[in-house]
Amino acid sequence: MAFTLHPKLADGGHPLARFAGCHLLLKDNALFPWLILVPETEVEDLDELTPERYAEVCQAIRRVSTFVREQFPLEKLNVACIGNVVRQMHIHVVGRSPGDPAWPGTVWAYEGKEAYPIEKIAALQAAAATFEW
Amino acid sequence: MAFTLHPKLADGGHPLARFAGCHLLLKDNALFPWLILVPETEVEDLDELTPERYAEVCQAIRRVSTFVREQFPLEKLNVACIGNVVRQMHIHVVGRSPGDPAWPGTVWAYEGKEAYPIEKIAALQAAAATFEW
């Protein structure tokens, strides 16, 4: 069966890459360097993946972390698989800095949002196109 | 140099296990099945670990997830490495259910707390002592 991104994930993000059986999205919130990795799977929690797939997704998270670190200034990297609302498995990789509006709280408890300028989205998509995933 | 648990982690949790170069703590909040895995490392973010250590910590997270699932009823398993306040690397593994007081929000945005009865702590420590980490 073809995999379909949950509409809330698809609508709230810009596609950056597809690798390791995962879709990588840039969350459309310029307040934080916030990427979302969506593995193609029907299970909801990381530990429900097979051991091989789990290891593959963990490596994918590591690559996304490297990409975020290369593309944005940041002091801390938050990684989380939560999904209590949107149940399709997705992993947040979020660069954090003492100057960001939610610091030191989590981004999930923060309501603020700012759309990216189209040039910034295009620049990140271009960087993602040449990144070694 | 000997590794020392951050006092906020040590004071807020009960030791459950030590394996794979990590300390496993039961967070002293009976409102949620909430375990905290603290890898012995000086770096703060997961992607700063060497590839080998990263893979080892990911496998440790998987074992903790299995333990939480065996010991508590839950509907979702939240896994997160945040650490914006307590900078010593620690990974939250939290069982979530639609009936819990923070649902569907995250536990990090929830202020409520309830200490565990001593018998429950002892039972979890006994279960951890025989679990195959």
Side-chain angles (χ1 to χ4, degrees):
Chain A
M1 198 177 69
F3 178 83
T4 309
L5 278 176
H6 189 290
K8 282 210 178 175
L9 295 175
D11 292 351
H14 306 283
L16 281 187
R18 197 169 165 194
F19 71 104
C22 300
H23 299 252
L24 181 61
L25 303 171
L26 171 70
K27 193 169 166 78
D28 194 25
N29 188 347
L31 296 178
F32 310 99
W34 188 342
L35 270 63
I36 295 183
L37 185 71
V38 188
E40 296 194 354
T41 178
E42 296 300 313
V43 303
E44 294 183 358
D45 293 328
L46 285 168
D47 68 305
E48 294 175 313
L49 296 168
T50 64
E52 296 72 24
R53 184 67 175 136
Y54 178 81
E56 187 177 40
V57 169
C58 287
Q59 285 313 307
I61 293 168
R62 190 176 167 86
R63 296 306 297 152
V64 174
S65 304
T66 300
F67 181 77
V68 173
R69 228 178 251 285
E70 282 186 13
Q71 295 297 320
F72 298 90
L74 61 90
E75 181 164 319
K76 278 285 299 166
L77 201 68
N78 293 176
V79 175
C81 186
I82 305 171
N84 303 333
V85 177
V86 173
R87 299 291 282 259
Q88 183 175 74
M89 183 189 292
H90 59 286
I91 299 110
H92 305 266
V93 179
V94 193
R96 303 299 310 277
S97 302
D100 78 39
W103 184 268
T106 68
V107 291
W108 308 287
Y110 187 79
E111 298 287 329
K113 198 170 179 304
E114 184 180 301
Y116 273 104
I118 196 166
E119 300 78 16
K120 179 67 177 170
I121 298 166
L124 286 166
Q125 286 174 329
T130 59
F131 187 78
E132 195 183 317
W133 298 106
Chain B
M1 198 177 70
F3 178 83
T4 309
L5 277 176
H6 188 291
K8 282 209 176 175
L9 295 174
D11 292 350
H14 306 283
L16 281 187
R18 197 170 165 193
F19 71 104
C22 301
H23 299 252
L24 181 61
L25 304 170
L26 171 69
K27 193 170 167 77
D28 194 25
N29 189 347
L31 296 178
F32 310 98
W34 189 341
L35 270 64
I36 296 183
L37 184 71
V38 188
E40 296 193 355
T41 178
E42 296 299 312
V43 301
E44 294 183 358
D45 292 329
L46 284 169
D47 69 304
E48 294 176 312
L49 296 168
T50 64
E52 296 72 24
R53 184 68 174 134
Y54 177 81
E56 187 177 40
V57 169
C58 286
Q59 286 312 306
I61 294 169
R62 190 176 167 86
R63 295 306 296 154
V64 174
S65 303
T66 301
F67 181 77
V68 172
R69 228 178 251 284
E70 282 185 14
Q71 295 297 321
F72 298 90
L74 60 90
E75 181 164 319
K76 278 286 298 166
L77 201 69
N78 293 176
V79 175
C81 186
I82 305 171
N84 303 332
V85 177
V86 173
R87 299 291 283 258
Q88 184 175 74
M89 184 189 292
H90 59 287
I91 299 109
H92 304 267
V93 179
V94 193
R96 304 298 310 277
S97 302
D100 78 39
W103 184 268
T106 68
V107 291
W108 308 287
Y110 187 79
E111 299 286 331
K113 198 170 179 302
E114 184 180 300
Y116 272 104
I118 197 165
E119 299 78 14
K120 179 66 177 169
I121 299 166
L124 287 166
Q125 286 174 328
T130 59
F131 186 79
E132 194 183 318
W133 298 106

